[in-house]
Amino acid sequence: TLIRYLKQMFEKNQIFSLQVICNSDRQEIQKIDDNTYKLKIRSIAQKGKANKEIFEFFKDKGLRIEIIKGEKSNKKLLKIL
């Protein structure tokens, strides 16, 4: 399943880059290289809606994250907690 796959992709304290594509018709994550991922989300990048959906996406998969860099950017640096 996707949840098991994501838990295998990410390790605790792992730091990785995330490119966010907002206003997509579906949620989808793709691995670009060893440390970079692309996440498509439905929300628009306005008033923290996109960041909230990113947190919820990972939380629903059993992963907690922290945004280290790029809070207001579509290119983010995240850490798995």
Side-chain angles (χ1 to χ4, degrees):
T1 66
L2 178 61
I3 294 172
R4 187 178 305 138
Y5 176 70
L6 284 176
K7 285 187 174 184
Q8 290 174 349
M9 282 179 18
F10 298 108
E11 299 175 8
K12 189 172 183 170
N13 296 319
Q14 179 180 350
I15 296 174
F16 62 97
S17 297
L18 185 72
Q19 180 183 357
V20 180
I21 309 296
C22 295
N23 206 21
S24 178
D25 58 347
R26 65 181 182 275
Q27 284 185 333
E28 178 180 273
I29 191 163
Q30 298 173 330
K31 186 173 184 174
I32 304 300
D33 61 39
D34 285 343
N35 214 34
T36 306
Y37 297 84
K38 183 191 298 186
L39 178 63
K40 293 181 179 180
I41 59 173
R42 294 183 184 100
S43 297
I44 58 173
Q46 189 176 45
K47 297 182 182 177
K49 292 178 184 177
N51 286 341
K52 183 176 179 182
E53 186 174 343
I54 293 166
F55 280 109
E56 289 297 319
F57 175 85
F58 283 96
K59 182 180 176 186
D60 290 347
K61 305 332 182 236
L63 298 167
R64 290 181 38 233
I65 60 164
E66 172 186 0
I67 298 176
I68 296 174
K69 187 176 178 182
E71 182 113 7
K72 295 183 178 185
S73 172
N74 68 332
K75 295 182 180 175
K76 301 181 183 299
L77 192 62
L78 302 181
K79 179 179 181 178
I80 299 292
L81 301 177

Coordinates of all heavy atoms in Angstrom, one line a residue:
T1 N 0.8 -1.2 0.0 CA 0.0 0.0 0.0 C 0.9 1.3 0.0 O 2.1 1.2 0.3 CB -0.9 0.0 1.2 OG1 -0.1 0.2 2.4 CG2 -1.8 -1.2 1.3
L2 N 0.2 2.4 -0.3 CA 1.0 3.7 -0.3 C 1.6 4.0 1.0 O 2.7 4.5 1.1 CB 0.1 4.8 -0.8 CG 0.7 6.2 -0.9 CD1 1.9 6.2 -1.8 CD2 -0.3 7.2 -1.2
I3 N 0.8 3.7 2.1 CA 1.3 4.1 3.4 C 2.6 3.3 3.8 O 3.6 3.9 4.2 CB 0.2 3.8 4.5 CG1 -0.9 4.8 4.3 CG2 0.8 4.0 5.9 CD1 -2.1 4.5 5.1
R4 N 2.6 2.0 3.5 CA 3.8 1.2 3.7 C 5.0 1.7 2.9 O 6.1 1.8 3.3 CB 3.5 -0.3 3.5 CG 4.6 -1.2 3.9 CD 4.3 -2.7 3.7 NE 3.1 -3.0 4.3 CZ 2.2 -3.8 3.8 NH1 2.3 -4.3 2.6 NH2 1.1 -4.2 4.5
Y5 N 4.7 2.0 1.6 CA 5.7 2.5 0.7 C 6.3 3.8 1.2 O 7.5 3.9 1.2 CB 5.1 2.6 -0.7 CG 6.0 3.2 -1.7 CD1 7.1 2.5 -2.2 CD2 5.9 4.5 -2.2 CE1 8.0 3.0 -3.1 CE2 6.7 5.1 -3.1 CZ 7.8 4.3 -3.6 OH 8.7 4.8 -4.5
L6 N 5.5 4.7 1.6 CA 6.0 6.0 2.1 C 6.8 5.8 3.4 O 7.9 6.4 3.6 CB 4.9 7.0 2.4 CG 4.3 7.6 1.2 CD1 3.1 8.5 1.6 CD2 5.3 8.4 0.4
K7 N 6.4 4.9 4.3 CA 7.2 4.7 5.5 C 8.5 4.0 5.2 O 9.5 4.3 5.9 CB 6.4 3.8 6.5 CG 5.3 4.6 7.2 CD 4.6 3.7 8.3 CE 3.6 4.6 9.0 NZ 3.1 3.8 10.1
Q8 N 8.6 3.3 4.1 CA 9.9 2.7 3.7 C 10.8 3.7 3.0 O 12.0 3.7 3.1 CB 9.7 1.5 2.7 CG 9.1 0.3 3.4 CD 8.7 -0.8 2.3 OE1 8.7 -0.5 1.1 NE2 8.4 -1.9 2.8
M9 N 10.2 4.7 2.3 CA 10.9 5.8 1.7 C 11.6 6.7 2.6 O 12.7 7.2 2.4 CB 10.0 6.6 0.7 CG 9.7 5.9 -0.6 SD 8.6 6.8 -1.7 CE 8.5 8.5 -1.3
F10 N 10.9 7.0 3.8 CA 11.4 8.0 4.7 C 11.8 7.4 6.0 O 11.2 6.5 6.5 CB 10.3 9.1 4.9 CG 9.9 9.8 3.7 CD1 8.7 9.6 3.1 CD2 10.7 10.7 3.1 CE1 8.3 10.3 2.0 CE2 10.3 11.4 2.0 CZ 9.1 11.2 1.4
E11 N 12.9 8.0 6.6 CA 13.4 7.5 7.9 C 13.3 8.7 8.9 O 13.3 9.8 8.5 CB 14.9 7.1 7.8 CG 15.1 5.9 6.8 CD 16.6 5.6 6.7 OE1 17.4 6.2 7.4 OE2 16.9 4.8 5.8
K12 N 13.2 8.4 10.1 CA 13.2 9.4 11.2 C 14.4 10.3 11.1 O 15.5 9.8 10.8 CB 13.1 8.7 12.6 CG 12.9 9.7 13.7 CD 12.6 9.0 15.0 CE 12.3 10.1 16.0 NZ 11.8 9.5 17.2
N13 N 14.2 11.6 11.2 CA 15.2 12.6 11.1 C 15.8 12.8 9.7 O 16.7 13.6 9.6 CB 16.4 12.4 12.1 CG 16.0 12.4 13.5 OD1 15.2 13.3 13.9 ND2 16.4 11.5 14.4
Q14 N 15.2 12.2 8.8 CA 15.6 12.4 7.4 C 15.2 13.8 6.9 O 14.1 14.3 7.2 CB 15.0 11.4 6.5 CG 15.3 11.6 5.0 CD 14.7 10.5 4.1 OE1 14.1 9.6 4.6 NE2 14.8 10.8 2.8
I15 N 16.1 14.5 6.2 CA 15.8 15.8 5.7 C 15.8 15.6 4.2 O 16.7 15.0 3.6 CB 16.9 16.8 6.1 CG1 16.8 17.0 7.6 CG2 16.7 18.1 5.4 CD1 17.9 17.9 8.2
F16 N 14.8 16.2 3.5 CA 14.6 16.1 2.1 C 14.0 17.3 1.5 O 13.3 18.1 2.2 CB 13.8 14.8 1.7 CG 12.4 14.8 2.3 CD1 11.4 15.2 1.5 CD2 12.2 14.4 3.6 CE1 10.1 15.2 1.9 CE2 10.9 14.5 4.1 CZ 9.8 14.8 3.2
S17 N 14.2 17.5 0.2 CA 13.6 18.6 -0.6 C 12.2 18.1 -1.1 O 12.1 17.0 -1.5 CB 14.5 19.0 -1.7 OG 15.7 19.5 -1.3
L18 N 11.3 19.1 -1.1 CA 10.0 18.8 -1.6 C 9.5 19.9 -2.5 O 9.5 21.1 -2.1 CB 9.0 18.7 -0.4 CG 7.5 18.3 -0.8 CD1 7.5 16.8 -1.3 CD2 6.6 18.5 0.3
Q19 N 9.2 19.6 -3.8 CA 8.7 20.6 -4.7 C 7.2 20.4 -4.7 O 6.7 19.3 -4.9 CB 9.2 20.3 -6.1 CG 8.7 21.3 -7.1 CD 9.2 21.0 -8.5 OE1 10.0 20.1 -8.8 NE2 8.7 21.8 -9.5
V20 N 6.5 21.4 -4.4 CA 5.0 21.4 -4.3 C 4.3 21.9 -5.5 O 4.6 23.1 -5.9 CB 4.6 22.1 -3.0 CG1 3.1 22.0 -2.8 CG2 5.3 21.6 -1.8
I21 N 3.4 21.2 -6.0 CA 2.6 21.6 -7.2 C 1.2 21.8 -6.6 O 0.5 20.8 -6.2 CB 2.5 20.6 -8.3 CG1 4.0 20.2 -8.7 CG2 1.7 21.1 -9.5 CD1 4.8 21.3 -9.3
C22 N 0.7 23.1 -6.5 CA -0.6 23.4 -5.9 C -1.7 23.3 -7.0 O -1.4 23.4 -8.2 CB -0.6 24.8 -5.3 SG 0.5 24.9 -3.9
N23 N -2.9 23.3 -6.5 CA -4.1 23.4 -7.4 C -4.2 22.2 -8.4 O -4.6 22.4 -9.5 CB -4.1 24.7 -8.1 CG -5.6 25.1 -8.5 OD1 -6.5 24.6 -7.9 ND2 -5.7 26.0 -9.5
S24 N -3.7 21.0 -7.9 CA -3.8 19.9 -8.8 C -5.1 19.2 -8.6 O -5.9 19.4 -7.7 CB -2.6 18.9 -8.3 OG -2.7 17.7 -9.1
D25 N -5.4 18.3 -9.6 CA -6.7 17.6 -9.5 C -6.6 16.4 -8.5 O -7.7 15.8 -8.2 CB -7.2 17.1 -10.8 CG -6.2 16.3 -11.6 OD1 -5.0 16.2 -11.1 OD2 -6.6 15.6 -12.6
R26 N -5.4 16.0 -8.0 CA -5.3 14.9 -7.1 C -4.0 15.1 -6.3 O -3.1 15.9 -6.6 CB -5.2 13.6 -7.9 CG -4.0 13.5 -8.8 CD -4.0 12.1 -9.5 NE -2.9 12.0 -10.3 CZ -2.7 12.5 -11.6 NH1 -3.7 13.1 -12.1 NH2 -1.6 12.2 -12.2
Q27 N -4.0 14.3 -5.2 CA -2.7 14.2 -4.4 C -1.9 13.1 -4.9 O -2.4 12.0 -5.1 CB -3.1 13.9 -2.9 CG -3.6 15.1 -2.2 CD -3.8 14.7 -0.7 OE1 -3.9 13.6 -0.3 NE2 -3.7 15.8 0.1
E28 N -0.6 13.4 -5.1 CA 0.3 12.4 -5.6 C 1.8 12.8 -5.2 O 2.1 14.0 -5.3 CB 0.2 12.4 -7.1 CG 1.1 11.4 -7.9 CD 0.8 11.5 -9.4 OE1 -0.1 10.7 -9.8 OE2 1.5 12.2 -10.0
I29 N 2.5 11.8 -4.8 CA 4.0 12.1 -4.5 C 4.8 11.3 -5.5 O 4.5 10.1 -5.8 CB 4.3 11.8 -3.0 CG1 5.7 12.3 -2.7 CG2 4.1 10.3 -2.7 CD1 5.9 12.5 -1.2
Q30 N 5.9 11.9 -6.0 CA 6.8 11.2 -6.9 C 8.2 11.5 -6.4 O 8.6 12.6 -5.9 CB 6.7 11.8 -8.3 CG 5.4 11.6 -8.9 CD 5.3 12.4 -10.3 OE1 6.0 13.4 -10.4 NE2 4.6 11.9 -11.2
K31 N 9.0 10.4 -6.5 CA 10.5 10.5 -6.1 C 11.2 11.0 -7.3 O 11.1 10.5 -8.4 CB 11.0 9.2 -5.7 CG 12.4 9.2 -5.1 CD 12.8 7.9 -4.6 CE 14.2 8.0 -3.9 NZ 14.6 6.8 -3.2
I32 N 11.9 12.2 -7.2 CA 12.7 12.7 -8.3 C 14.1 12.2 -8.2 O 14.7 11.8 -9.3 CB 12.7 14.3 -8.2 CG1 11.3 14.9 -8.1 CG2 13.6 14.9 -9.3 CD1 10.5 14.6 -9.3
D33 N 14.8 12.2 -7.1 CA 16.1 11.6 -6.9 C 16.2 11.1 -5.4 O 15.2 11.2 -4.7 CB 17.2 12.5 -7.3 CG 17.3 13.8 -6.5 OD1 17.1 13.8 -5.3 OD2 17.6 14.8 -7.2
D34 N 17.3 10.8 -4.9 CA 17.5 10.2 -3.6 C 16.9 11.1 -2.5 O 16.5 10.6 -1.5 CB 18.9 9.9 -3.3 CG 19.4 8.6 -4.0 OD1 18.5 7.8 -4.5 OD2 20.6 8.4 -4.1
N35 N 17.0 12.4 -2.7 CA 16.6 13.3 -1.6 C 15.6 14.4 -2.1 O 15.4 15.4 -1.4 CB 17.9 14.0 -1.1 CG 17.8 14.2 0.4 OD1 17.2 13.5 1.1 ND2 18.4 15.3 0.8
T36 N 15.0 14.2 -3.2 CA 14.0 15.2 -3.7 C 12.7 14.5 -4.2 O 12.8 13.5 -4.8 CB 14.6 16.0 -4.9 OG1 15.9 16.5 -4.5 CG2 13.7 17.1 -5.4
Y37 N 11.6 15.1 -3.7 CA 10.3 14.5 -4.1 C 9.4 15.7 -4.6 O 9.6 16.8 -4.3 CB 9.6 13.9 -2.8 CG 10.4 12.8 -2.3 CD1 11.5 13.0 -1.4 CD2 10.1 11.5 -2.6 CE1 12.2 11.9 -0.9 CE2 10.8 10.4 -2.1 CZ 11.9 10.6 -1.3 OH 12.6 9.6 -0.8
K38 N 8.4 15.3 -5.4 CA 7.4 16.2 -5.9 C 6.1 15.8 -5.4 O 5.7 14.6 -5.4 CB 7.4 16.2 -7.4 CG 6.4 17.2 -8.0 CD 6.2 17.0 -9.5 CE 7.5 17.1 -10.3 NZ 7.2 17.1 -11.8
L39 N 5.4 16.7 -4.8 CA 4.0 16.5 -4.2 C 3.0 17.3 -4.9 O 3.1 18.6 -4.9 CB 4.0 16.7 -2.7 CG 2.7 16.5 -2.0 CD1 2.3 15.1 -2.1 CD2 2.8 17.0 -0.5
K40 N 2.0 16.7 -5.5 CA 0.9 17.4 -6.1 C -0.2 17.5 -5.0 O -0.5 16.4 -4.4 CB 0.4 16.7 -7.3 CG 1.3 16.8 -8.5 CD 0.7 16.1 -9.7 CE 1.7 16.1 -10.8 NZ 1.1 15.5 -12.0
I41 N -0.8 18.7 -4.8 CA -1.8 18.8 -3.8 C -3.0 19.6 -4.4 O -2.8 20.3 -5.4 CB -1.3 19.5 -2.5 CG1 -0.8 20.9 -2.8 CG2 -0.3 18.6 -1.8 CD1 -0.4 21.7 -1.6
R42 N -4.2 19.5 -3.8 CA -5.3 20.2 -4.3 C -5.4 21.6 -3.9 O -6.0 22.4 -4.6 CB -6.6 19.4 -3.8 CG -6.7 18.0 -4.4 CD -8.0 17.3 -4.0 NE -8.0 16.0 -4.5 CZ -7.7 14.9 -3.7 NH1 -7.4 15.0 -2.5 NH2 -7.8 13.7 -4.3
S43 N -4.9 22.0 -2.7 CA -5.0 23.3 -2.2 C -4.3 24.3 -3.0 O -3.4 24.0 -3.8 CB -4.5 23.4 -0.8 OG -5.2 22.5 0.1
I44 N -4.7 25.6 -2.9 CA -4.0 26.7 -3.5 C -3.0 27.2 -2.5 O -3.1 27.0 -1.3 CB -5.0 27.8 -3.9 CG1 -5.8 28.3 -2.7 CG2 -5.9 27.4 -5.0 CD1 -6.7 29.6 -3.0
A45 N -2.0 27.9 -3.0 CA -0.9 28.4 -2.1 C -1.3 29.8 -1.6 O -0.9 30.8 -2.1 CB 0.4 28.5 -2.9
Q46 N -2.2 29.8 -0.6 CA -2.7 31.0 -0.1 C -3.1 30.8 1.4 O -3.8 29.8 1.7 CB -4.0 31.4 -0.9 CG -4.5 32.8 -0.6 CD -5.6 33.2 -1.5 OE1 -6.5 32.4 -1.7 NE2 -5.6 34.4 -2.0
K47 N -2.7 31.7 2.3 CA -3.0 31.7 3.7 C -2.7 30.4 4.4 O -3.4 30.0 5.2 CB -4.5 32.1 3.9 CG -4.8 33.5 3.4 CD -6.2 33.8 3.7 CE -6.6 35.2 3.1 NZ -8.0 35.6 3.3
G48 N -1.6 29.7 4.0 CA -1.2 28.5 4.7 C -2.0 27.3 4.3 O -1.7 26.2 4.9
K49 N -2.9 27.4 3.3 CA -3.7 26.2 3.0 C -2.9 25.1 2.4 O -3.1 23.9 2.7 CB -4.8 26.6 2.0 CG -5.8 27.5 2.6 CD -6.9 27.9 1.5 CE -7.9 28.9 2.1 NZ -8.8 29.4 1.1
A50 N -1.9 25.4 1.6 CA -1.0 24.4 1.0 C -0.2 23.7 2.1 O -0.1 22.4 2.1 CB -0.1 25.0 -0.1
N51 N 0.4 24.4 3.0 CA 1.2 23.8 4.1 C 0.3 22.9 4.9 O 0.8 21.9 5.3 CB 1.9 24.9 4.9 CG 3.0 25.6 4.2 OD1 3.6 25.0 3.2 ND2 3.4 26.7 4.7
K52 N -0.9 23.3 5.2 CA -1.8 22.5 6.0 C -2.1 21.2 5.3 O -2.0 20.1 6.0 CB -3.1 23.3 6.3 CG -4.0 22.5 7.2 CD -5.3 23.3 7.5 CE -6.2 22.5 8.4 NZ -7.5 23.2 8.6
E53 N -2.3 21.2 4.0 CA -2.5 20.0 3.3 C -1.3 19.1 3.2 O -1.4 17.9 3.3 CB -3.0 20.3 1.8 CG -3.4 19.0 1.1 CD -4.0 19.2 -0.2 OE1 -4.4 20.4 -0.6 OE2 -4.1 18.3 -1.0
I54 N -0.1 19.7 3.2 CA 1.1 18.9 3.2 C 1.3 18.2 4.5 O 1.6 17.0 4.6 CB 2.4 19.8 2.9 CG1 2.3 20.4 1.5 CG2 3.7 19.1 3.2 CD1 3.3 21.5 1.2
F55 N 1.0 18.9 5.6 CA 1.1 18.3 7.0 C 0.1 17.2 7.1 O 0.4 16.1 7.5 CB 0.8 19.3 8.1 CG 2.0 20.2 8.4 CD1 2.0 21.5 8.1 CD2 3.1 19.6 9.1 CE1 3.1 22.3 8.4 CE2 4.2 20.4 9.4 CZ 4.2 21.8 9.1
E56 N -1.1 17.4 6.6 CA -2.2 16.4 6.6 C -1.8 15.2 5.8 O -2.1 14.0 6.1 CB -3.5 16.9 6.2 CG -4.1 17.9 7.2 CD -4.5 17.2 8.6 OE1 -5.0 16.1 8.6 OE2 -4.2 17.8 9.6
F57 N -1.3 15.4 4.6 CA -0.9 14.3 3.7 C 0.1 13.4 4.4 O -0.1 12.2 4.4 CB -0.2 14.9 2.4 CG 0.3 13.8 1.5 CD1 -0.5 13.2 0.6 CD2 1.6 13.4 1.5 CE1 0.0 12.2 -0.3 CE2 2.1 12.4 0.7 CZ 1.3 11.9 -0.2
F58 N 1.1 13.9 5.0 CA 2.1 13.1 5.7 C 1.5 12.4 7.0 O 1.8 11.3 7.3 CB 3.4 13.8 6.0 CG 4.3 14.0 4.8 CD1 4.2 15.2 4.0 CD2 5.1 13.0 4.4 CE1 5.0 15.3 2.9 CE2 5.9 13.1 3.2 CZ 5.8 14.3 2.5
K59 N 0.7 13.2 7.7 CA 0.1 12.7 8.9 C -0.8 11.5 8.6 O -0.8 10.5 9.3 CB -0.7 13.8 9.6 CG -1.4 13.4 10.9 CD -2.2 14.5 11.5 CE -2.9 14.1 12.8 NZ -3.7 15.1 13.3
D60 N -1.6 11.6 7.5 CA -2.5 10.5 7.1 C -1.7 9.2 6.8 O -2.2 8.1 6.8 CB -3.3 10.9 5.9 CG -4.4 11.9 6.3 OD1 -4.6 12.1 7.5 OD2 -5.0 12.5 5.3
K61 N -0.4 9.4 6.5 CA 0.5 8.2 6.1 C 1.3 7.8 7.3 O 2.2 7.0 7.2 CB 1.4 8.6 5.0 CG 0.9 9.1 3.7 CD -0.4 8.7 3.3 CE -0.8 9.2 1.9 NZ -2.0 10.0 1.9
G62 N 1.0 8.4 8.5 CA 1.7 8.0 9.7 C 3.0 8.7 9.9 O 3.9 8.2 10.7
L63 N 3.3 9.8 9.2 CA 4.6 10.5 9.3 C 4.3 11.9 9.8 O 3.4 12.6 9.3 CB 5.2 10.5 8.0 CG 5.6 9.2 7.3 CD1 5.9 9.3 5.9 CD2 6.7 8.5 8.1
R64 N 5.2 12.4 10.7 CA 5.1 13.8 11.2 C 6.3 14.5 10.5 O 7.4 13.9 10.4 CB 5.3 13.8 12.7 CG 4.0 13.3 13.4 CD 4.1 13.3 14.9 NE 4.8 14.5 15.4 CZ 5.8 14.5 16.3 NH1 6.3 13.3 16.7 NH2 6.4 15.6 16.7
I65 N 6.1 15.7 10.1 CA 7.1 16.5 9.4 C 7.2 17.9 10.1 O 6.4 18.3 10.8 CB 6.8 16.7 7.9 CG1 5.5 17.4 7.7 CG2 6.8 15.4 7.2 CD1 5.3 18.0 6.3
E66 N 8.4 18.5 9.7 CA 8.6 19.9 10.1 C 9.2 20.6 8.9 O 10.0 20.0 8.1 CB 9.7 19.9 11.2 CG 10.2 21.3 11.6 CD 11.4 21.3 12.6 OE1 11.8 20.2 13.0 OE2 11.8 22.3 12.9
I67 N 8.6 21.8 8.6 CA 9.2 22.6 7.5 C 10.4 23.3 8.0 O 10.3 24.2 8.9 CB 8.1 23.5 6.9 CG1 6.9 22.8 6.4 CG2 8.7 24.4 5.8 CD1 5.8 23.6 5.9
I68 N 11.6 23.0 7.5 CA 12.8 23.6 7.9 C 13.0 24.9 7.1 O 13.5 25.9 7.7 CB 14.0 22.7 7.7 CG1 13.8 21.5 8.6 CG2 15.3 23.4 8.0 CD1 14.9 20.4 8.4
K69 N 12.7 24.9 5.9 CA 12.9 26.0 5.0 C 11.9 26.0 3.9 O 11.4 25.0 3.4 CB 14.3 25.9 4.4 CG 14.8 27.1 3.6 CD 16.2 26.9 3.1 CE 16.6 28.1 2.2 NZ 18.0 27.9 1.7
G70 N 11.4 27.2 3.5 CA 10.5 27.4 2.4 C 9.0 27.4 2.8 O 8.2 27.0 2.0
E71 N 8.8 27.9 3.9 CA 7.4 28.0 4.4 C 6.5 28.7 3.4 O 5.3 28.3 3.3 CB 7.4 28.8 5.8 CG 6.0 28.8 6.4 CD 5.8 28.1 7.6 OE1 6.8 27.5 8.1 OE2 4.7 28.0 8.1
K72 N 7.0 29.7 2.7 CA 6.2 30.5 1.7 C 6.6 30.2 0.3 O 6.5 31.1 -0.5 CB 6.2 31.9 2.1 CG 5.5 32.2 3.4 CD 5.5 33.7 3.7 CE 4.8 34.0 5.0 NZ 4.7 35.4 5.3
S73 N 7.2 29.1 0.1 CA 7.7 28.8 -1.3 C 7.2 27.4 -1.7 O 6.8 26.6 -0.9 CB 9.3 28.7 -1.2 OG 9.8 28.2 -2.4
N74 N 7.3 27.2 -3.0 CA 6.9 25.8 -3.5 C 8.0 24.8 -3.4 O 7.8 23.7 -3.7 CB 6.3 25.9 -4.9 CG 7.3 26.3 -6.0 OD1 8.3 27.0 -5.7 ND2 7.1 25.9 -7.2
K75 N 9.2 25.3 -3.1 CA 10.4 24.5 -2.8 C 10.7 24.5 -1.3 O 11.0 25.5 -0.8 CB 11.5 24.9 -3.7 CG 11.3 24.8 -5.1 CD 12.4 25.1 -6.0 CE 12.0 24.9 -7.4 NZ 13.0 25.4 -8.4
K76 N 10.5 23.4 -0.7 CA 10.6 23.3 0.7 C 11.7 22.3 1.1 O 12.0 21.3 0.4 CB 9.3 22.8 1.3 CG 8.1 23.8 1.0 CD 6.8 23.4 1.6 CE 5.7 24.3 1.2 NZ 5.9 25.7 1.6
L77 N 12.2 22.5 2.3 CA 13.1 21.5 3.0 C 12.4 21.0 4.2 O 12.0 21.8 5.1 CB 14.4 22.2 3.4 CG 15.6 21.3 3.8 CD1 16.0 20.4 2.6 CD2 16.8 22.2 4.2
L78 N 12.1 19.7 4.2 CA 11.4 19.1 5.3 C 12.2 18.1 6.1 O 13.2 17.5 5.6 CB 10.2 18.3 4.7 CG 9.2 19.1 3.8 CD1 8.0 18.2 3.4 CD2 8.6 20.3 4.6
K79 N 11.8 17.9 7.3 CA 12.4 16.9 8.2 C 11.3 15.9 8.7 O 10.3 16.4 9.1 CB 13.1 17.6 9.3 CG 13.8 16.6 10.3 CD 14.5 17.4 11.4 CE 15.2 16.4 12.3 NZ 15.9 17.1 13.4
I80 N 11.6 14.6 8.7 CA 10.7 13.7 9.3 C 11.0 13.6 10.7 O 12.1 13.5 11.2 CB 10.9 12.3 8.6 CG1 10.7 12.3 7.1 CG2 10.1 11.2 9.4 CD1 9.2 12.5 6.8
L81 N 9.9 13.8 11.6 CA 10.1 13.8 13.0 C 9.8 12.4 13.6 O 9.3 11.5 13.0 CB 9.1 14.8 13.7 CG 9.3 16.2 13.2 CD1 8.3 17.1 13.8 CD2 10.7 16.7 13.6

